Every structure is written in C-alpha cells, then in structure tokens.
Coordinates of all heavy atoms in Angstrom, one line a residue:
G1 N -26.9 -15.7 7.7 CA -26.7 -16.8 8.7 C -25.3 -16.7 9.4 O -24.5 -15.8 9.2
F2 N -25.2 -17.6 10.4 CA -24.1 -17.6 11.3 C -22.7 -17.9 10.6 O -21.8 -17.0 10.7 CB -24.3 -18.7 12.4 CG -23.2 -18.7 13.4 CD1 -23.1 -17.7 14.3 CD2 -22.4 -19.9 13.5 CE1 -22.1 -17.7 15.4 CE2 -21.4 -19.9 14.5 CZ -21.3 -18.8 15.5
R3 N -22.7 -18.9 9.8 CA -21.4 -19.3 9.1 C -21.0 -18.2 8.0 O -19.9 -17.8 7.9 CB -21.5 -20.7 8.5 CG -20.2 -21.2 8.0 CD -20.2 -22.7 7.7 NE -19.0 -23.2 7.3 CZ -18.5 -23.2 6.0 NH1 -19.3 -22.7 5.0 NH2 -17.3 -23.7 5.8
G4 N -22.0 -17.8 7.3 CA -21.8 -16.8 6.3 C -21.3 -15.5 6.8 O -20.4 -14.9 6.3
S5 N -21.9 -15.1 8.0 CA -21.4 -13.9 8.7 C -20.0 -13.9 9.1 O -19.2 -13.0 8.9 CB -22.3 -13.6 9.9 OG -23.7 -13.5 9.6
L6 N -19.6 -15.0 9.6 CA -18.2 -15.2 10.1 C -17.2 -15.2 8.9 O -16.2 -14.6 9.0 CB -18.1 -16.5 10.8 CG -18.8 -16.6 12.2 CD1 -18.9 -18.0 12.7 CD2 -18.1 -15.7 13.2
L7 N -17.6 -15.8 7.8 CA -16.7 -15.9 6.6 C -16.5 -14.4 6.0 O -15.5 -14.1 5.6 CB -17.3 -16.8 5.6 CG -17.2 -18.3 5.9 CD1 -18.0 -19.2 4.9 CD2 -15.7 -18.8 5.9
V8 N -17.6 -13.7 5.9 CA -17.5 -12.3 5.4 C -16.7 -11.5 6.3 O -15.8 -10.7 5.8 CB -19.0 -11.7 5.3 CG1 -18.9 -10.2 5.1 CG2 -19.8 -12.3 4.2
M9 N -16.8 -11.5 7.6 CA -16.0 -10.8 8.5 C -14.5 -11.2 8.5 O -13.6 -10.3 8.5 CB -16.5 -10.9 10.0 CG -17.9 -10.1 10.2 SD -18.3 -9.8 11.9 CE -18.3 -11.5 12.6
A10 N -14.3 -12.5 8.4 CA -12.9 -13.0 8.3 C -12.2 -12.5 7.1 O -11.1 -12.1 7.1 CB -12.9 -14.5 8.4
A11 N -12.9 -12.5 5.9 CA -12.4 -12.1 4.7 C -12.1 -10.5 4.7 O -11.0 -10.1 4.3 CB -13.4 -12.3 3.5
A12 N -13.0 -9.8 5.3 CA -12.8 -8.3 5.4 C -11.6 -8.0 6.3 O -10.8 -7.1 6.0 CB -14.1 -7.6 5.9
L13 N -11.5 -8.6 7.4 CA -10.4 -8.4 8.3 C -9.1 -8.9 7.8 O -8.0 -8.2 8.1 CB -10.7 -9.1 9.7 CG -10.0 -8.5 10.9 CD1 -10.3 -7.0 11.1 CD2 -10.3 -9.3 12.2
S14 N -9.1 -9.9 7.0 CA -7.9 -10.4 6.3 C -7.3 -9.3 5.4 O -6.1 -9.1 5.4 CB -8.1 -11.6 5.5 OG -8.5 -12.7 6.4
L15 N -8.2 -8.6 4.7 CA -7.7 -7.5 3.8 C -7.1 -6.4 4.6 O -6.1 -5.8 4.3 CB -8.9 -7.0 3.0 CG -9.4 -7.9 1.9 CD1 -10.7 -7.3 1.2 CD2 -8.4 -8.3 0.9
I16 N -7.7 -6.0 5.8 CA -7.2 -5.0 6.7 C -5.8 -5.5 7.2 O -4.8 -4.7 7.2 CB -8.1 -4.7 7.9 CG1 -9.5 -4.3 7.4 CG2 -7.5 -3.8 8.9 CD1 -9.5 -2.9 6.8
W17 N -5.7 -6.7 7.5 CA -4.4 -7.3 8.1 C -3.3 -7.2 7.0 O -2.2 -6.7 7.4 CB -4.7 -8.7 8.5 CG -3.4 -9.4 8.9 CD1 -2.6 -9.1 9.9 CD2 -2.9 -10.6 8.3 NE1 -1.6 -10.1 10.0 CE2 -1.7 -10.9 9.0 CE3 -3.3 -11.4 7.2 CZ2 -0.9 -12.1 8.7 CZ3 -2.5 -12.5 6.9 CH2 -1.3 -12.9 7.6
I18 N -3.6 -7.5 5.8 CA -2.6 -7.5 4.7 C -2.2 -6.0 4.5 O -0.9 -5.7 4.4 CB -3.2 -8.1 3.4 CG1 -3.3 -9.6 3.6 CG2 -2.2 -7.8 2.2 CD1 -4.1 -10.3 2.5
S19 N -3.1 -5.1 4.5 CA -2.7 -3.7 4.2 C -1.9 -3.2 5.4 O -1.0 -2.4 5.2 CB -4.0 -2.8 4.0 OG -4.8 -2.8 5.2
S20 N -2.2 -3.6 6.6 CA -1.5 -3.2 7.8 C 0.0 -3.7 7.8 O 0.9 -3.1 8.1 CB -2.2 -3.7 9.1 OG -1.5 -3.3 10.2
L21 N 0.1 -5.0 7.3 CA 1.5 -5.6 7.2 C 2.4 -4.7 6.3 O 3.6 -4.5 6.5 CB 1.4 -6.9 6.6 CG 0.9 -8.1 7.5 CD1 0.7 -9.4 6.8 CD2 2.0 -8.3 8.7
V22 N 1.7 -4.1 5.2 CA 2.5 -3.4 4.2 C 2.7 -1.9 4.6 O 3.8 -1.4 4.5 CB 1.7 -3.4 2.8 CG1 2.4 -2.4 1.8 CG2 1.6 -4.8 2.3
L23 N 1.7 -1.3 5.3 CA 1.7 0.2 5.5 C 2.1 0.6 6.9 O 2.6 1.7 7.0 CB 0.3 0.8 5.2 CG -0.2 0.6 3.8 CD1 -1.7 1.0 3.7 CD2 0.7 1.4 2.8
L24 N 2.0 -0.3 7.9 CA 2.3 0.2 9.3 C 3.8 0.3 9.5 O 4.5 -0.6 9.1 CB 1.6 -0.7 10.3 CG 1.4 -0.1 11.7 CD1 0.5 1.1 11.7 CD2 0.8 -1.2 12.6
K25 N 4.2 1.4 10.1 CA 5.6 1.7 10.3 C 6.3 0.5 11.0 O 5.8 0.1 12.1 CB 5.8 3.0 11.1 CG 7.2 3.4 11.3 CD 7.2 4.7 12.1 CE 8.6 5.1 12.5 NZ 8.6 6.3 13.4
K26 N 7.5 0.1 10.5 CA 8.2 -1.0 11.1 C 8.8 -0.5 12.5 O 9.3 0.6 12.6 CB 9.3 -1.5 10.2 CG 8.8 -1.8 8.8 CD 7.9 -3.0 8.9 CE 7.5 -3.5 7.5 NZ 6.5 -2.7 6.9
D27 N 8.9 -1.4 13.4 CA 9.6 -1.2 14.7 C 8.9 -0.1 15.5 O 9.6 0.5 16.4 CB 11.0 -0.9 14.5 CG 11.7 -2.2 14.0 OD1 11.3 -3.3 14.2 OD2 12.8 -2.0 13.3
L28 N 7.6 0.2 15.3 CA 6.9 1.2 16.0 C 6.8 0.8 17.5 O 6.3 -0.3 17.8 CB 5.6 1.5 15.4 CG 4.7 2.6 16.1 CD1 5.3 3.9 15.8 CD2 3.3 2.5 15.6
G29 N 7.4 1.6 18.4 CA 7.3 1.3 19.9 C 8.3 0.3 20.4 O 8.2 -0.1 21.6
K30 N 9.2 -0.1 19.6 CA 10.2 -1.1 20.0 C 11.2 -0.4 20.9 O 11.8 0.7 20.6 CB 11.0 -1.6 18.7 CG 11.8 -2.9 19.0 CD 12.2 -3.5 17.7 CE 13.0 -4.7 17.9 NZ 13.5 -5.3 16.6
A31 N 11.4 -0.9 22.1 CA 12.3 -0.2 23.1 C 13.8 -0.3 22.6 O 14.2 -1.3 22.0 CB 12.2 -1.0 24.4
K32 N 14.5 0.7 22.9 CA 15.9 0.8 22.5 C 16.7 -0.2 23.2 O 17.6 -0.9 22.7 CB 16.5 2.2 22.8 CG 15.9 3.3 21.9 CD 16.5 4.6 22.2 CE 15.9 5.7 21.3 NZ 14.5 6.0 21.7
A33 N 16.4 -0.4 24.5 CA 17.0 -1.4 25.3 C 16.0 -2.6 25.5 O 14.9 -2.3 25.9 CB 17.5 -0.9 26.7
K34 N 16.4 -3.8 25.2 CA 15.5 -5.0 25.3 C 15.0 -5.1 26.8 O 15.8 -5.3 27.7 CB 16.2 -6.2 24.9 CG 16.5 -6.3 23.4 CD 15.3 -6.5 22.6 CE 15.7 -6.7 21.1 NZ 14.5 -6.7 20.2
P35 N 13.7 -5.0 27.0 CA 13.3 -5.1 28.4 C 13.4 -6.5 28.9 O 13.2 -7.5 28.1 CB 11.8 -4.6 28.3 CG 11.4 -4.9 26.9 CD 12.6 -4.7 26.1
K36 N 13.6 -6.7 30.2 CA 13.6 -8.0 30.8 C 12.2 -8.4 31.2 O 11.3 -7.5 31.4 CB 14.5 -8.0 32.1 CG 16.0 -7.7 31.7 CD 16.8 -7.7 33.0 CE 18.3 -7.6 32.7 NZ 18.6 -6.3 32.0
F37 N 12.0 -9.7 31.4 CA 10.6 -10.1 31.6 C 10.1 -9.6 32.9 O 8.9 -9.3 33.0 CB 10.6 -11.7 31.6 CG 9.2 -12.3 31.6 CD1 8.5 -12.2 30.4 CD2 8.7 -12.9 32.7 CE1 7.2 -12.8 30.4 CE2 7.4 -13.5 32.6 CZ 6.7 -13.4 31.5
R38 N 10.9 -9.5 33.9 CA 10.5 -8.9 35.2 C 10.1 -7.5 35.2 O 9.4 -7.0 36.1 CB 11.6 -9.1 36.3 CG 12.8 -8.4 36.1 CD 13.8 -8.5 37.3 NE 15.0 -7.8 37.1 CZ 16.1 -8.3 36.5 NH1 16.1 -9.5 36.0 NH2 17.2 -7.5 36.4
E39 N 10.4 -6.7 34.1 CA 10.1 -5.4 33.9 C 8.6 -5.2 33.5 O 8.2 -4.0 33.2 CB 11.0 -4.7 33.0 CG 12.4 -4.5 33.5 CD 13.4 -4.0 32.5 OE1 13.0 -3.6 31.4 OE2 14.6 -3.9 32.8
M40 N 7.8 -6.3 33.3 CA 6.4 -6.1 33.0 C 5.6 -5.3 34.0 O 4.7 -4.6 33.7 CB 5.8 -7.5 32.8 CG 6.2 -8.2 31.6 SD 5.2 -9.7 31.3 CE 5.5 -10.6 32.7
L41 N 6.0 -5.4 35.3 CA 5.3 -4.7 36.4 C 5.9 -3.3 36.4 O 7.1 -3.1 36.4 CB 5.5 -5.4 37.7 CG 5.0 -6.8 37.8 CD1 5.4 -7.4 39.1 CD2 3.6 -6.9 37.5
S42 N 5.0 -2.3 36.5 CA 5.4 -0.9 36.3 C 6.2 -0.4 37.6 O 5.9 -0.8 38.7 CB 4.2 0.0 36.1 OG 4.6 1.3 36.0
K43 N 7.3 0.3 37.3 CA 8.0 0.9 38.4 C 7.6 2.3 38.7 O 8.0 3.0 39.6 CB 9.5 1.0 38.0 CG 10.2 -0.4 37.8 CD 11.6 -0.3 37.3 CE 12.1 -1.6 37.0 NZ 13.4 -1.5 36.3
S44 N 6.6 2.9 37.9 CA 6.1 4.3 38.1 C 5.0 4.3 39.1 O 4.0 3.6 39.0 CB 5.7 4.8 36.8 OG 4.9 5.9 36.9
R45 N 5.2 5.2 40.1 CA 4.2 5.3 41.2 C 2.9 5.8 40.6 O 1.8 5.3 40.9 CB 4.7 6.3 42.3 CG 3.7 6.4 43.4 CD 4.2 7.3 44.5 NE 3.3 7.5 45.5 CZ 2.3 8.5 45.5 NH1 2.2 9.3 44.5 NH2 1.4 8.6 46.5
A46 N 3.0 6.8 39.7 CA 1.8 7.4 39.1 C 1.0 6.3 38.3 O -0.2 6.3 38.4 CB 2.2 8.5 38.1
I47 N 1.7 5.5 37.6 CA 1.0 4.5 36.8 C 0.4 3.4 37.7 O -0.7 2.9 37.5 CB 2.0 3.8 35.7 CG1 2.3 4.9 34.7 CG2 1.4 2.6 35.1 CD1 3.4 4.5 33.7

C-alpha cells in the first residue's frame, strides 16, 4: 500500500543517511576561500 511503501523507503534511506554521516569524508569540496553569494553565476566562458 501507499503508506507502507513510504515508511519502508523512509526507513531504508534513513539507514543510508546515518552511514553517510559516519563514512563520507569531511569537508569534501569545501572551497579554500569562502565564495561570495554573487559568485554563484559562473565566470567561465566554457561553462
């Protein structure tokens, strides 16, 4: 059923989320210099 399906998926994804909190490398992709909000728009012509 609809509600049972949602509960099963939420439980399974919660386990994935907890394992990700523990195992995924900290600060992955964090910029060395804090980007400014206006830098959201790309300055690269190719991009």
Side-chain angles (χ1 to χ4, degrees):
F2 183 68
R3 189 167 184 271
S5 302
L6 293 165
L7 288 170
V8 166
M9 290 197 301
L13 202 59
S14 295
L15 293 175
I16 299 291
W17 173 61
I18 292 166
S19 67
S20 179
L21 285 172
V22 174
L23 298 171
L24 200 58
K25 182 181 173 184
K26 305 296 184 284
D27 296 333
L28 183 67
K30 196 171 180 179
K32 294 180 179 70
K34 293 287 185 187
K36 296 180 175 62
F37 194 71
R38 65 175 178 271
E39 290 174 3
M40 288 190 299
L41 300 178
S42 179
K43 297 174 185 173
S44 163
R45 180 177 180 274
I47 289 171

